Amino acid sequence: MFGAIEAGGTKFRCMVGDGPTAIADEVRITTTAPQETLAEVIRFFTAQAIKHPIDAIGIGAFGPIDLDRNSATYGHITTTPKTGWQHQDLVGLVGDALKVPIGFDTDVAAAALGEYTWGAGQGIDNLVYLTVGTGIGGAALSAGRSLRGLVHAEMGHMLIPRVAGDSFAGSCPFHGDCFEGMASGPAIRKRWGQDPETLTTDHPAWQLQASYLALGLANIILMLSPHRIVLGGGVMRAELFTALRCRLLDLLAGYVNSPEITDSLEDYVVPPSLGNQAGVLGALVLARRAYEQESQP
Amino acid sequence: MFGAIEAGGTKFRCMVGDGPTAIADEVRITTTAPQETLAEVIRFFTAQAIKHPIDAIGIGAFGPIDLDRNSATYGHITTTPKTGWQHQDLVGLVGDALKVPIGFDTDVAAAALGEYTWGAGQGIDNLVYLTVGTGIGGAALSAGRSLRGLVHAEMGHMLIPRVAGDSFAGSCPFHGDCFEGMASGPAIRKRWGQDPETLTTDHPAWQLQASYLALGLANIILMLSPHRIVLGGGVMRAELFTALRCRLLDLLAGYVNSPEITDSLEDYVVPPSLGNQAGVLGALVLARRAYEQESQP
């Protein structure tokens, strides 16, 4: 049995189980002050551990986070704008309290791992998972391992051209009109003065949204050449996929000459299949891996 | 002893040796028709093999190329605009003629590997090599292996914003104003009506060039988070580095909060140290790896 934490800016989702068909229990905890939220998280797992021993816990966390195992602040949230959570140690706190190995990655990498293990990216060697919601986050998996470097990817903040004639300043506090600044939920809200959920299907917002999503996806393909892209998040809707696939083909202009893209884009850019469970299920995978790593001689 | 081929659009550079300080012989062959050029390449290695047995040959080739070992056209150049070279089999032809294992990757990945093994990226786990010349090519290495997916990366064609006020249409026949369309040698020539080599140091071309290079590098960092970027190619010059590093910091706007970037960008974006030998030396590494792989039980 493993524990999973999807540490989000509005809620912490905690689960005990071993996969989508083996969930022992789960709970959602509102994200308030770190001491309060984390105490409740630890209470949940402590109570669970009496019923079924927990071998490891995986955490998929909002960020930026420190993933460098050689760093003094490994396992911490770093410079988040989320009040009170700056420099919060997650791995140390949870690990010390529950005395189990802790797996750790970004929330998006955890969701990518969930879709890779049980969802729309199952068995896909090089997978990109992109989520478009209050922000735009992305993670790339290579053979089921998330790509990391100096820090984790921040592909939501890539700099993209504007759609011709668009003069919207963008909503990103760091970069203005980066990908996230033009195509996240808050960007749509700022641009149209309406919540994305209230915009009708025929609203021009969606055509523009498809164009910006296509720009972001084109750069992901040119940079990483993944075998599939799983595209989800609160702003996505079924109608967007057809339009963005057409625009994507236009943008690539035949340059990436691969049948997966030219002939079967409907199997290449796909919606997630685990819905909002991808992150917490992926955290279970992080837990299993942490356990396996600790168990090695 | 290994053989190396840097297969370029204007010349094929061939080498026999085992590293920068162990070069037995080398030759440059002008790229004409495939039959002619490849016959000369094979003659060179056949003659060499009499003097010193060659255990394997590495090829770093211009592209696009097929790197998928499960594909029927593995080892071929695919849809290149280079007349006569479309769908040319390289690995099969050279391997059949010389009866040795063949390592194969893009010319840029080979150069990246050269700099990783003996140059400015020595020992850097996640390295990006970017070359700005007649085109813009990039390769990312993760633990010394080039990242691949559906096809190889085409980061030169990523879509970037324009510098404010710039109305140049770009020079890329596929995408117009993509990174390569705005910042390659031909782009500079088309924009200013002059060869880059003839532009004086104080020409406004270089300030603009620094801005576009910074845009490309920012996206590479946001997407891949490499530990270092080696930036070379015929269009690069020492003076560009300071300007582009400053613009890069502006563009990232403190978002990628890593001391390597915020405090020591001069060690993070660096010129190559192997000059124009990076590609052919990297091809030696490809040869060695092909040999080691074949030798495994």
Side-chain angles (χ1 to χ4, degrees):
Chain A
M1 220 36 114
F2 297 104
I5 303 171
E6 188 188 6
T10 57
K11 62 175 188 299
F12 273 51
R13 210 171 150 170
C14 304
M15 182 183 274
V16 174
D18 194 21
T21 57
I23 299 171
D25 208 344
E26 56 180 321
V27 71
R28 288 164 200 227
I29 295 161
T30 304
T31 309
T32 56
Q35 298 75 357
E36 193 179 18
T37 308
L38 293 170
E40 214 174 321
V41 166
I42 287 162
R43 266 198 301 277
F44 168 75
F45 285 109
T46 307
Q48 289 291 319
I50 297 166
K51 291 185 267 180
H52 10 246
I54 293 169
D55 287 324
I57 292 178
I59 307 176
F62 70 99
I65 58 177
D66 187 345
L67 289 170
D68 178 2
R69 284 184 175 277
N70 301 318
S71 156
T73 56
Y74 169 74
H76 293 216
I77 291 174
T78 58
T79 57
T80 177
K82 178 101 187 145
T83 317
W85 287 85
Q86 291 90 354
H87 311 294
Q88 174 62 49
D89 183 5
L90 291 182
V91 169
L93 204 91
V94 176
D96 287 350
L98 297 160
K99 306 270 182 285
V100 291
I102 305 288
F104 189 54
D105 213 324
T106 66
D107 45 4
V108 197
L113 215 48
E115 291 289 344
Y116 171 77
T117 310
W118 294 295
Q122 217 169 334
I124 301 293
D125 249 11
N126 296 280
L127 183 73
V128 165
Y129 176 88
L130 194 74
T131 176
V132 184
T134 49
I136 297 184
L141 303 185
S142 178
R145 301 268 153 189
S146 70
L147 285 186
R148 299 172 183 186
L150 209 52
V151 291
H152 45 83
E154 288 290 358
M155 46 183 100
H157 291 271
M158 72 172 117
L159 307 167
I160 52 170
R162 287 167 168 276
V163 169
D166 184 15
S167 62
F168 175 57
S171 70
C172 173
F174 291 91
H175 314 108
D177 61 358
C178 68
F179 187 26
E180 176 170 309
M182 296 308 261
S184 64
I188 297 175
R189 195 171 301 117
K190 187 175 170 195
R191 181 196 286 274
W192 302 100
Q194 261 182 277
D195 271 356
E197 307 84 66
T198 67
L199 294 167
T200 54
T201 308
D202 59 349
H203 194 284
W206 299 116
Q207 291 301 318
L208 199 60
Q209 181 69 5
S211 298
Y212 279 111
L213 290 174
L215 282 161
L217 293 180
N219 277 355
I220 288 170
I221 292 168
L222 291 162
M223 200 84 83
L224 292 166
S225 196
H227 289 115
R228 184 175 291 167
I229 299 173
V230 175
L231 176 57
V235 168
M236 289 306 299
R237 47 200 64 204
E239 312 89 76
L240 270 172
F241 279 89
T242 307
L244 76 86
R245 289 186 190 117
C246 295
R247 283 175 173 69
L248 182 55
L249 282 183
D250 285 349
L251 286 172
L252 293 174
Y255 194 78
V256 180
N257 192 15
S258 175
E260 283 83 349
I261 290 175
T262 51
D263 304 345
S264 54
L265 204 54
E266 64 284 1
D267 298 323
Y268 185 75
V269 180
V270 302
S273 68
L274 300 179
N276 61 12
Q277 284 209 309
V280 68
L281 288 172
L284 279 184
V285 182
L286 290 172
R288 173 175 285 280
R289 290 185 181 173
Y291 174 72
E292 285 166 357
Q293 201 168 0
E294 291 284 308
S295 315
Q296 272 169 6
Chain B
M1 216 42 106
F2 297 104
I5 303 172
E6 187 188 8
T10 58
K11 63 173 187 301
F12 273 52
R13 211 169 151 172
C14 303
M15 181 183 275
V16 174
D18 193 23
T21 57
I23 299 171
D25 208 344
E26 57 180 319
V27 70
R28 287 165 202 228
I29 295 161
T30 304
T31 309
T32 56
Q35 298 76 356
E36 193 180 18
T37 307
L38 292 170
E40 215 175 318
V41 167
I42 288 162
R43 267 198 300 279
F44 169 74
F45 285 110
T46 307
Q48 289 291 320
I50 297 165
K51 292 185 268 181
H52 11 246
I54 293 169
D55 288 322
I57 291 177
I59 306 176
F62 70 99
I65 59 178
D66 187 346
L67 290 170
D68 177 3
R69 284 184 175 275
N70 300 318
S71 158
T73 56
Y74 169 74
H76 293 217
I77 291 175
T78 59
T79 56
T80 177
K82 179 99 186 146
T83 316
W85 286 85
Q86 290 90 356
H87 311 293
Q88 174 62 50
D89 182 7
L90 292 180
V91 169
L93 204 93
V94 176
D96 287 350
L98 297 159
K99 307 269 183 284
V100 289
I102 305 287
F104 188 54
D105 213 325
T106 66
D107 46 3
V108 196
L113 216 48
E115 291 288 344
Y116 171 77
T117 310
W118 294 295
Q122 218 170 333
I124 301 293
D125 248 12
N126 296 280
L127 183 73
V128 165
Y129 176 88
L130 194 74
T131 175
V132 184
T134 50
I136 298 184
L141 303 185
S142 177
R145 301 269 152 185
S146 69
L147 284 187
R148 298 172 183 186
L150 209 52
V151 291
H152 45 82
E154 288 289 359
M155 50 182 98
H157 291 271
M158 74 172 115
L159 307 167
I160 52 170
R162 288 167 168 276
V163 169
D166 184 15
S167 61
F168 175 57
S171 70
C172 174
F174 291 91
H175 314 108
D177 60 357
C178 67
F179 186 27
E180 176 169 309
M182 297 306 262
S184 64
I188 298 175
R189 195 171 302 117
K190 187 174 170 197
R191 181 195 287 274
W192 302 100
Q194 258 183 278
D195 271 356
E197 308 82 67
T198 66
L199 294 167
T200 54
T201 308
D202 59 349
H203 194 284
W206 299 117
Q207 291 301 318
L208 199 60
Q209 181 68 5
S211 297
Y212 280 111
L213 291 173
L215 282 162
L217 293 180
N219 277 355
I220 288 170
I221 293 169
L222 291 163
M223 200 84 83
L224 292 166
S225 198
H227 289 115
R228 185 175 290 168
I229 298 172
V230 176
L231 176 57
V235 168
M236 289 307 300
R237 45 200 64 204
E239 311 89 78
L240 270 172
F241 278 89
T242 308
L244 76 86
R245 287 185 191 119
C246 295
R247 283 176 176 69
L248 183 54
L249 282 183
D250 285 349
L251 287 173
L252 293 175
Y255 195 78
V256 181
N257 192 15
S258 174
E260 283 83 351
I261 290 175
T262 51
D263 304 345
S264 54
L265 206 54
E266 63 284 2
D267 298 324
Y268 184 76
V269 180
V270 302
S273 68
L274 301 178
N276 61 11
Q277 286 209 308
V280 69
L281 289 172
L284 279 183
V285 181
L286 290 173
R288 172 176 286 280
R289 289 185 181 174
Y291 174 72
E292 285 167 355
Q293 202 167 358
E294 292 284 307
S295 315
Q296 272 170 8

